[in-house]
Amino acid sequence: MSKYIFVTGGVVSGLGKGITAASLGRLLKCRGLKVACQKLDPYVNVDPGTMSPLQHGEVFVTDDGTETDLDLGHYERFTDEDLNKYSNLTTGKVYWNVLNKERQGAYLGQTVQIIPHITNEIKSYIYNMASSTGADVVITEIGGTTGDIESQPFLEAIRQVGLEQGRDNCCFIHVVLVPYISGSDEYKSKPAQHSVKELQGMGIAPDVIILRADGSVGEEIRRKISTFCNVQPECVIENLTMPSLYQCPLMLHENGLDEVVVKKLKLTAPPADLTEWTGMLDRIASRSRSCTIALVGKYVKLHDAYLSVMESLYHAGFENDSRVEIRWVESEELTDQAACARLLGDVDGIILPGGFGDRGIEGMIQAARYAREQSIPYFGICLGMQIMVIEYARGVLGYADANSSEFDPNGAHNVIALMADQQGNIPKGGTMRLGRYPCKVAPGTKMAECYGKELISERHRHRYEFNNAFRAEFEQAGLVISGTSPDGRLVETVEIPGRLFHLGAQFHPEFKSRPNRAHPLFKAFIAASLAHQDKED
């Protein structure tokens, strides 16, 4: 029988509910428990797939092809557990499912209402998360802030879960802000008290209160919150700002979070074995080198748009004894090779991540050209791989008008295009190649060197593909096709041989990188960037 933990937030958004949930997941896993994490988002979009990265950050994709909130990336990186279609639910998806059932007669003519129909749909995702993973503990984060109108059905649903499962099988954790007032030199508990009162008004009494603060709030504030919010003193736990996200599990463990939760849920579990995690933190602290990687993208104004790429670069640095400094380069600023020399001339490597639309594309092509001509390690992911192919077609094959059908539907030399079975009027939502697909690796390539095996699987999120009509020309001109679908039909990776690292991957390797196990492509890319640095020195 699964146990359930619900993480809510109050006062303001952005308090780190996701990191709290992910850190607790890692701690419980270190105590020998099987953990699954889940995010319930109040926004009305069906999923984040068509939302602007500049507004919402990256879209994280699970193995089964579900487009999800970026917090799920934290869950997977911290717990090292692959999530599924029940891991993310939005208000839009709830209503979509309920209205489709109503149209199909599933409710037998009943009047469809928030309670029970909407709340039952929400609960079904919580229970399906448990049954589909066989988890001992399901950790469910409720997006938004307590008191928001759109959050109310989700809070009502988890209240009902607490009633149905019993208090020994559910634990409610509330994350609140404890602000520091510089004028009076003190932390204030009143916002936390008001937030807990709001949650209690929804019928939920928190078992644990997490205090989000930049520094220790002091015993007096903790005692006051314990008294006024009706929780035990040991259940008021500080969550302080740490230099690295990956220090959060250790900090919360030292403050007693996992012990409190295990006792509340009456779980039989040994003490947390944090040997591997602390070993990783030791490696992070003892790095002796540094390198600079230019991340050339369309959404660099919001770094969360490339969150998994950013974290994957850091992971690779951990395993290469190196700090990774990211230089955020807006692709629209790369108007020519002179601009590239000015902004990219002193970097150790260049990475071009994914994206959609034609804005900034020419600047990305300029960056790919600069990397190729100056022999700077290059890593292209999804759109970055397509840019590498377009630039190679222009610079090596001599097709000055080479492009993608996404940017020039009627181009004569569209080396990136829709496949034959993709033609026609296709809506944007949920029509891409999504989730895990196998890839056959060609022997003797950089891909083979990195992975050390012939068949791999990686996650995808794209619509356009390498155009096979130009395949022979590219190979004759020296571009190596190092990874394909098992039937050879789809090109998955391309390389320029004889370089430290010059590779484009149609898939998204960043979704499978872990802080204690860097992705092999990112690990090799950072190693090559350090080698390039040594050569330049």
Side-chain angles (χ1 to χ4, degrees):
M1 180 177 173
S2 297
K3 306 273 187 171
Y4 299 89
I5 298 171
F6 299 103
V7 180
T8 57
V11 187
V12 295
S13 60
L15 290 180
K17 296 191 302 296
I19 296 298
T20 299
S23 297
L24 178 57
R26 165 52 66 170
L27 293 175
L28 294 178
K29 184 173 181 177
C30 287
R31 298 186 72 135
L33 298 167
K34 183 171 176 54
V35 177
C37 293
Q38 179 184 52
K39 175 80 180 286
L40 308 184
D41 275 308
Y43 52 75
V44 187
N45 303 68
V46 173
D47 60 43
T50 58
M51 296 172 71
S52 168
L54 288 171
Q55 183 181 87
H56 189 72
E58 77 169 6
V59 175
F60 188 84
V61 178
T62 59
D63 267 355
D64 62 7
T66 305
E67 294 176 289
T68 74
D69 182 82
L70 58 79
D71 272 322
L72 271 72
H74 289 311
Y75 300 161
E76 285 208 1
R77 284 187 287 273
F78 276 69
T79 66
D80 199 13
E81 297 286 343
D82 293 334
L83 301 178
N84 62 30
K85 65 183 180 180
Y86 297 116
S87 302
N88 197 203
L89 180 66
T90 68
T91 294
K93 190 177 289 184
V94 171
Y95 277 87
W96 180 280
N97 291 346
V98 167
L99 291 173
N100 277 320
K101 289 178 181 177
E102 187 271 337
R103 292 290 85 185
Q104 295 160 9
Y107 300 124
L108 303 176
Q110 296 175 16
T111 300
V112 177
Q113 297 176 290
I114 303 296
I115 302 171
H117 302 96
I118 297 299
T119 51
N120 282 351
E121 186 68 23
I122 295 168
K123 288 190 295 181
S124 75
Y125 264 71
I126 296 169
Y127 292 142
N128 283 333
M129 189 74 214
S131 61
S132 67
T133 59
D136 298 312
V137 180
V138 174
I139 302 174
T140 302
E141 174 193 351
I142 313 300
T145 306
T146 299
D148 294 344
I149 292 173
E150 57 265 34
S151 297
Q152 290 178 5
F154 292 100
L155 294 175
E156 171 59 22
I158 66 173
R159 183 197 68 79
Q160 292 178 23
V161 172
L163 192 65
E164 293 167 2
Q165 299 299 312
R167 294 296 281 144
D168 288 345
N169 296 315
C170 290
C171 178
F172 293 93
I173 298 175
H174 195 50
V175 183
V176 294
L177 176 70
V178 181
Y180 173 73
I181 307 300
S182 59
S184 57
D185 186 29
E186 61 181 338
Y187 285 95
K188 290 294 188 180
S189 66
K190 193 62 70 177
Q193 294 176 45
H194 281 300
S195 181
V196 171
K197 183 179 179 182
E198 183 82 34
L199 188 63
Q200 289 171 337
M202 298 293 297
I204 298 170
D207 302 293
V208 180
I209 298 177
I210 305 288
L211 309 183
R212 188 71 178 86
D214 289 333
S216 180
V217 302
E219 190 60 35
E220 177 63 22
I221 293 293
R222 291 181 62 224
R223 183 196 60 76
K224 185 182 289 187
I225 290 174
S226 167
T227 300
F228 285 99
C229 297
N230 198 33
V231 297
Q232 295 296 319
E234 65 270 20
C235 297
V236 180
I237 294 170
E238 291 181 332
N239 182 356
L240 308 180
T241 302
M242 305 300 291
S244 168
L245 286 179
Y246 302 115
Q247 291 175 278
C248 290
L250 207 58
M251 177 263 297
L252 290 170
H253 170 70
E254 290 169 353
N255 287 334
L257 178 59
D258 55 307
E259 189 62 28
V260 163
V261 168
V262 164
K263 285 181 180 177
K264 169 65 184 71
L265 293 175
K266 293 183 168 53
L267 288 162
T268 302
D273 181 1
L274 292 164
T275 307
E276 182 186 13
W277 201 260
T278 53
M280 176 195 72
L281 293 176
D282 289 342
R283 289 197 303 276
I284 294 174
S286 63
R287 289 169 290 172
S288 62
R289 302 192 61 183
S290 66
C291 64
T292 301
I293 303 298
L295 190 153
V296 181
K298 303 168 49 152
Y299 317 118
V300 296
K301 291 177 183 175
L302 181 66
H303 294 178
D304 274 358
Y306 302 112
L307 182 60
S308 291
V309 172
M310 179 171 63
E311 293 299 325
S312 298
L313 289 169
Y314 296 153
H315 302 164
F318 302 163
E319 295 194 26
N320 279 288
D321 187 32
S322 178
R323 299 180 185 277
V324 176
E325 304 293 337
I326 298 176
R327 179 176 299 173
W328 301 89
V329 180
E330 173 60 59
S331 61
E332 287 183 292
E333 295 181 11
L334 300 177
T335 53
D336 53 27
Q337 289 298 286
C340 288
R342 185 174 69 256
L343 294 170
L344 307 176
D346 60 343
V347 302
D348 303 307
I350 297 172
I351 187 165
L352 268 66
F356 296 90
D358 59 1
R359 182 183 63 81
I361 291 301
E362 291 301 321
M364 297 179 86
I365 293 172
Q366 290 286 349
R369 176 186 169 189
Y370 188 79
R372 179 178 61 81
E373 293 184 345
Q374 303 301 320
S375 294
I376 299 172
Y378 175 94
F379 191 8
I381 297 173
C382 195
L383 175 62
M385 177 265 205
Q386 297 175 1
I387 293 295
M388 176 180 164
V389 170
I390 294 168
E391 191 285 320
Y392 202 90
R394 291 185 185 184
V396 180
L397 297 186
Y399 295 133
D401 62 342
N403 218 323
S404 165
S405 296
E406 180 179 5
F407 316 129
D408 183 8
N410 301 311
H413 297 99
N414 283 348
V415 292
I416 303 295
L418 291 171
M419 302 301 287
D421 58 356
Q422 294 176 298
Q423 304 298 329
N425 184 21
I426 302 174
K428 282 184 167 53
T431 60
M432 296 179 285
R433 188 148 68 102
L434 286 164
R436 181 182 61 199
Y437 285 85
C439 171
K440 184 179 179 182
V441 178
T445 61
K446 180 63 71 173
M447 280 284 290
E449 178 187 323
C450 292
Y451 283 94
K453 51 186 178 181
E454 294 182 5
L455 193 65
I456 62 169
S457 74
E458 293 284 359
R459 299 179 192 177
H460 293 66
R461 183 178 182 252
H462 64 99
R463 186 173 287 109
Y464 293 84
E465 306 277 359
F466 183 102
N467 190 342
N468 286 325
F470 296 92
R471 193 162 170 172
E473 284 185 72
F474 274 110
E475 291 183 303
Q476 288 166 11
L479 190 70
V480 172
I481 294 173
S482 55
T484 65
S485 56
D487 62 5
R489 179 168 162 264
L490 299 174
V491 172
E492 298 283 24
T493 63
V494 295
E495 303 174 11
I496 298 178
R499 305 289 183 96
L500 289 171
F501 192 98
H502 204 111
L503 185 147
Q506 186 61 78
F507 47 76
H508 286 268
E510 69 270 24
F511 294 148
K512 296 181 72 172
S513 185
R514 305 289 183 256
N516 53 335
R517 191 179 66 257
H519 190 282
L521 291 182
F522 279 92
K523 184 178 177 180
F525 172 60
I526 294 301
S529 299
L530 290 165
H532 175 74
Q533 181 187 90
D534 292 339
K535 190 170 66 172
E536 291 297 299
D537 292 344

